[in-house]
Amino acid sequence: MIAFHRVGLEYPRTKTKALYNVNLEIKKGEFVYVVGHSGAGKSTLLALILRRLVATQGAVYFAGQNLKHLRGDQVAYHRRRIGMVFQDHRLLSDMTVEENLAFVLQVQGVPRREWPERITTALRRVGLSHKKRAFPEELSVGEAQRVAIARALLLDPPVVLADEPTGNLDPANALAVLEILKQAHQRGATVVVATHSRELLEAYPARVVVLKAGQVVRDERPAEGGSIRVREGPPRGGKEEG
């Protein structure tokens, strides 16, 4: 599904290397945590998958396609296949919850007749059907983040990326957010969560990719019973560029 092959990313103005020689493969239907200290490269890795950034070395593949080669409408189509959740909810303050979700459907070109069912389903999944006419300022921090996840899941994307989705939440709300992501995974989505929360890793054991200074230093997979099995060396993925 997603493969990094010898990927590096250097910011041209500062010459700062955010990622270096990353080899990583994420298979369809996996749930993967990406962990590491601030500045380790977690957000950069997700931005490369979303194609907000382009690798300066190597190649990132999504469903067999080299993302570096996407142009124009191809980039927009690629992003429609990904549900993105950020640490801050980024809801439009002058729109109700329902209007925030409808705005996304409008931008994505979804026929209006489909809006009510999609919005109802998304809000039911996050337990906020009763908040559809509320404005963001009327929501708690946890509720706002759950609306943001509902927005990301509106089109049932095959891939969900979450960048520190529980960073601003208390433990109870963090676990509620994790449960929603877990349910998306159980419905078949490939889920990648960048986090520094050990509590999430313990609550829902899954594969853990550890970044340090822009490099993959460990790749751990849960064994039977929820313990972690360490995989020696980073996995290889993708194809050589021609």
Side-chain angles (χ1 to χ4, degrees), residues 59-86:
V60 181
Y61 293 87
F62 186 99
Q65 187 171 31
N66 187 341
L67 297 185
K68 186 179 294 186
H69 298 159
L70 299 184
R71 296 291 182 271
D73 291 345
Q74 293 176 320
V75 175
Y77 173 74
H78 167 70
R79 290 175 180 167
R80 284 199 293 271
R81 296 182 288 175
I82 298 174
M84 186 72 212
V85 182
F86 298 94

Side-chain angles (χ1 to χ4, degrees), residues 6-233:
R6 298 178 182 174
V7 170
L9 189 138
E10 181 179 272
Y11 293 104
R13 291 185 179 179
T14 62
K15 301 299 181 182
T16 301
K17 286 190 175 182
L19 292 177
Y20 176 74
N21 196 35
V22 171
N23 291 286
L24 178 68
E25 183 177 358
I26 298 172
K27 295 181 180 180
K28 182 178 180 180
E30 277 198 282
F31 191 111
V32 181
Y33 296 105
V34 180
V35 304
H37 295 299
S38 178
K42 303 188 299 295
S43 295
T44 300
L45 188 142
L46 297 189
L48 285 168
I49 298 172
L50 191 59
R51 223 284 197 168
R52 295 181 67 193
L53 295 174
V54 178
T56 50
Q57 295 177 326
V60 181
Y61 293 87
F62 186 99
Q65 187 171 31
N66 187 341
L67 297 185
K68 186 179 294 186
H69 298 159
L70 299 184
R71 296 291 182 271
D73 291 345
Q74 293 176 320
V75 175
Y77 173 74
H78 167 70
R79 290 175 180 167
R80 284 199 293 271
R81 296 182 288 175
I82 298 174
M84 186 72 212
V85 182
F86 298 94
Q87 182 173 347
D88 53 329
H89 55 75
R90 303 190 183 186
L91 299 176
L92 299 173
S93 61
D94 60 342
M95 292 184 178
T96 65
V97 167
E98 184 177 32
E99 289 168 343
N100 265 275
L101 301 185
F103 178 74
V104 173
L105 295 173
Q106 181 180 18
V107 170
Q108 298 291 356
V110 177
R112 187 176 291 269
R113 64 181 180 276
E114 296 182 18
W115 294 7
E117 182 177 356
R118 287 188 177 274
I119 291 171
T120 298
T121 298
L123 290 178
R124 185 179 66 247
R125 285 173 175 172
V126 301
L128 291 174
S129 299
H130 61 296
K131 293 286 186 176
K132 68 178 182 179
R133 292 186 174 85
F135 286 89
E137 64 180 15
E138 299 172 312
L139 303 174
S140 69
V141 175
E143 287 171 341
Q145 188 65 327
R146 282 152 60 194
V147 173
I149 296 176
R151 179 181 58 193
L153 300 179
L154 268 173
L155 300 179
D156 286 316
V159 174
V160 178
L161 306 179
D163 192 358
E164 296 285 3
T166 64
N168 295 328
L169 305 180
D170 59 49
N173 277 305
L175 291 178
V177 164
L178 177 63
E179 180 62 27
I180 296 167
L181 295 174
K182 174 183 172 181
Q183 290 172 3
H185 175 234
Q186 292 172 341
R187 289 194 299 270
T190 303
V191 180
V192 184
V193 180
T195 183
H196 63 271
S197 172
R198 176 58 59 179
E199 289 77 13
L200 296 190
L201 275 61
E202 293 173 349
Y204 188 47
R207 181 181 175 190
V208 179
V209 174
V210 183
L211 290 177
K212 183 177 181 180
Q215 296 185 3
V216 175
V217 295
R218 291 208 310 276
D219 187 353
E220 306 172 342
R221 298 172 183 269
E224 292 185 10
S227 59
I228 296 293
R229 181 177 78 252
V230 178
R231 178 174 180 170
E232 296 294 335

